[in-house]
Amino acid sequence: MRSFGLVLALLACSRFGLAARCELLLPTGDDGADIGIIMIPGANYPGERYIPLAKKIQESIPTARVWFGITEGWLVDTPNPVEISGAINSCRSQAEEQNLGGPLYLAGHSLGGVMLEQYLQSESNVEPISGVLLYGSYLTDFILGDSNNYVVPALTVVGELDGLTLSYVYREWLESAATGSSQYPVYIAGGVNHAQVGSGDVPGFVKDRDIPAEMSDEDAHLVYAEITSSFIVLQNSDLFEASVVSAATSKAEESAAYTETFLAPFREAALLEADGDTSEWMIRGQEILTGATDADGLKVIDLVVPFSDLGDAKPSVEGQDCAATVTTYATPEYDWDAFDAGALISSSVIKAKFKLEDVVREELCLPAIQRKQCKDINEEAYKIALEMASETARQRFERMGTRLFFLDDSVSPWGPGWEYSTGLHYSSVNETHTSLYSTSLISEPDFIITVAAGMHYCDLLSPFRALEWIYITSLVGK
């Protein structure tokens, strides 16, 4: 009912001339070809807050007549499907009245990018568009599926301090690479955050979820503008002199290299979490519990299974001549993310089924040791994530990030208590520290149900989730 009321309000605004409108920024020079950009704002961002970025983009392409349409006056300063067509058409009409044309790009910040993707679901809306520019936004899987082979060229730019969007960049980078085309680049913009696409006061919900800025808005706008100009020049190379195209190529290569380096720890951590039907982190987890490696004759085979199969999956050990092969099972679980926004893409918990270390050490002809906890594996995940992080990210985390510390496991007395536990348990202690503990389940070697005897089940922190804690979660809202 509330959404129906919003639609009525939007229609009423349109009926009485209160719909979103366009403020046209004319080209700053007379040389070169016309190029148009129309900006759709983020939620709760008045459109005029993008004028400083627009002017930086104009300055960054001095050999073209870049005109900018700034859409303003959205109901509650939020882009929506009802007003977007009128706002874009208003910009196009005003440009035509000024005899301005050329390739036309639609730009969107945050929710504005999502609204553009919905708008371009119509073929008639796509026809006049040369490409899209997404700032703190991306080609959502919710609307488009997991292919970035989009209907028009698309630039995705996300700040390395973008607390709202950074988690999705690694996925989008992979999806764009899978297209085999250079038309859909995904870039990390160094040193800037989500809010700095705009300017002025930051909406409260953005401030609570963004990472603090490390440079001025003016400098941030230059970072975004230079990446944008290189994309536009390369998309329209026939309109520019060779020296301009060469400079744009160098900038694009620099942006691609920076992004690949930035995302390298994310790639490494993601592959540890799960790689197809196995989890390397599960193999390491069994080694940590057992206190043994392949040097001791231990071989671990892990199988990733859906949650529906996890209940019946039982770890096993086969030993001979003081060597043992252990089979473990894992189910990575992920945040509910129906609208492909506002979550983390790493596993929120790995439901892990290990063989009890007592049984494995006996097969390896090793003496008994004090049993480890799931806590020990989680501490190692956190340590490895810190080692993976870049020096810059690690220093930033150590300077202002919320630290994790690990409590002893909560041992469930029965299977369903572990199987249907709510995952890892975080508790904020103060502004600088958060505690975490895991639910576990242990069955002794002489357990009455033979098939379930000698097991050690854990809720695990993935190294990938630990890395996202270091880069994102521990820093937002500071």
Side-chain angles (χ1 to χ4, degrees):
M1 183 64 70
R2 183 176 299 172
S3 59
F4 179 67
L6 177 60
V7 170
L8 290 179
L10 292 168
L11 291 174
C13 287
S14 178
R15 172 70 177 81
F16 292 105
L18 300 176
R21 60 190 181 275
C22 181
E23 177 180 351
L24 192 68
L25 302 185
L26 298 176
T28 57
D30 296 324
D31 298 329
D34 288 357
I35 294 175
I37 303 173
I38 297 174
M39 185 74 192
I40 308 300
N44 300 137
Y45 269 90
E48 56 269 24
R49 293 187 184 172
Y50 297 93
I51 292 176
L53 173 63
K55 290 183 175 180
K56 282 292 184 186
I57 293 174
Q58 288 179 316
E59 293 171 7
S60 70
I61 316 179
T63 56
R65 288 164 38 85
V66 180
W67 58 269
F68 235 102
I70 302 292
T71 60
E72 304 170 349
W74 301 84
L75 185 67
V76 296
D77 287 325
T78 297
N80 57 78
V82 175
E83 294 182 282
I84 191 169
S85 291
I88 291 172
N89 289 338
S90 175
C91 291
R92 293 179 63 198
S93 295
Q94 290 185 47
E96 289 175 7
E97 291 172 3
Q98 297 292 328
N99 294 316
L100 296 171
L104 178 59
Y105 291 83
L106 299 182
H109 177 213
S110 198
L111 179 63
V114 178
M115 290 297 105
L116 285 182
E117 292 167 33
Q118 290 186 328
Y119 173 77
L120 292 176
Q121 294 296 293
S122 166
E123 290 185 9
S124 61
N125 291 338
V126 171
E127 192 275 329
I129 306 304
S130 295
V132 297
L133 313 171
L134 303 175
Y135 304 105
S137 192
Y138 43 91
L139 297 173
T140 61
D141 288 9
F142 168 64
I143 296 175
L144 305 171
D146 60 4
S147 173
N148 280 5
N149 196 4
Y150 199 41
V151 291
V152 292
L155 169 67
T156 298
V157 189
V158 174
E160 72 169 292
L161 302 178
D162 188 330
L164 290 82
T165 310
L166 184 58
S167 178
Y168 294 91
V169 176
Y170 173 63
R171 184 194 73 188
E172 293 303 306
W173 181 69
L174 290 178
E175 290 179 358
S176 285
T179 68
S181 170
S182 62
Q183 300 295 297
Y184 317 104
V186 175
Y187 295 140
I188 292 287
V192 300
N193 68 12
H194 188 88
Q196 289 181 301
V197 179
S199 58
D201 294 337
V202 179
F205 80 94
V206 173
K207 190 178 297 184
D208 290 342
R209 298 173 61 197
D210 211 359
I211 299 170
E214 295 182 351
M215 67 173 67
S216 68
D217 285 354
E218 183 177 4
D219 288 343
H221 294 152
L222 180 60
V223 171
Y224 282 118
E226 288 180 342
I227 293 174
T228 302
S229 65
S230 69
F231 175 76
I232 290 176
V233 168
L234 293 177
Q235 289 294 316
N236 302 279
S237 58
D238 58 317
L239 302 180
F240 296 92
E241 294 181 356
S243 60
V244 176
V245 175
S246 177
T249 300
S250 295
K251 180 61 182 179
E253 291 173 350
E254 175 190 314
S255 298
Y258 185 89
T259 300
E260 184 171 5
T261 298
F262 182 92
L263 292 177
F266 290 77
R267 183 182 185 88
E268 184 179 2
L271 291 174
L272 263 184
E273 177 179 284
D275 186 7
D277 58 2
T278 190
S279 168
E280 186 67 29
W281 189 240
M282 285 291 297
I283 296 172
R284 180 70 185 122
Q286 182 70 68
E287 291 175 344
I288 291 170
L289 289 179
T290 307
T293 66
D294 55 357
D296 301 296
L298 175 62
K299 179 182 179 181
V300 182
I301 300 170
D302 178 69
L303 299 175
V304 171
V305 298
F307 183 78
S308 58
D309 293 343
L310 185 64
D312 292 333
K314 297 293 186 291
S316 63
V317 57
E318 296 180 3
Q320 185 177 5
D321 299 329
C322 295
T325 298
V326 176
T327 301
T328 62
Y329 295 90
T331 299
E333 296 185 347
Y334 298 90
D335 295 330
W336 186 78
D337 192 13
F339 300 107
D340 199 32
L344 299 175
I345 68 167
S346 60
S347 170
S348 58
V349 61
I350 300 176
K351 304 294 288 186
K353 286 191 166 185
F354 298 111
K355 198 64 184 170
L356 188 66
E357 46 266 54
D358 307 35
V359 177
V360 179
R361 288 186 67 86
E362 183 177 349
E363 294 290 349
L364 294 172
C365 306
L366 295 174
I369 58 172
Q370 183 176 355
R371 283 180 187 167
K372 300 281 182 62
Q373 300 185 61
C374 309
K375 167 188 173 183
D376 295 294
I377 306 175
N378 292 338
E379 287 179 331
E380 185 67 13
Y382 188 49
K383 176 185 175 183
I384 284 177
L386 279 167
E387 293 170 352
M388 287 180 179
S390 70
E391 184 66 23
T392 299
R394 188 162 52 247
Q395 289 179 359
R396 183 182 296 123
F397 171 71
E398 290 172 350
R399 183 175 71 251
M400 66 176 186
T402 300
R403 313 295 180 89
L404 284 177
F405 68 96
F406 298 84
L407 305 178
D408 288 342
D409 297 352
S410 173
V411 183
S412 175
W414 65 319
W418 169 79
E419 189 171 348
Y420 297 100
S421 68
T422 56
L424 296 168
H425 303 273
Y426 297 84
S427 179
S428 177
V429 176
N430 52 39
E431 292 185 357
T432 61
H433 287 82
T434 290
S435 66
L436 183 153
Y437 72 87
S438 172
T439 301
S440 66
L441 176 69
I442 295 174
S443 65
E444 298 296 336
D446 59 354
F447 186 59
I448 190 171
I449 303 175
T450 304
V451 70
M455 305 296 181
H456 197 157
Y457 298 169
C458 288
D459 285 346
L460 294 186
L461 173 68
S462 158
F464 192 9
R465 179 54 64 110
L467 189 76
E468 292 201 306
W469 178 274
I470 292 162
Y471 274 78
I472 306 172
T473 311
S474 73
L475 304 175
V476 298
K478 294 288 188 177

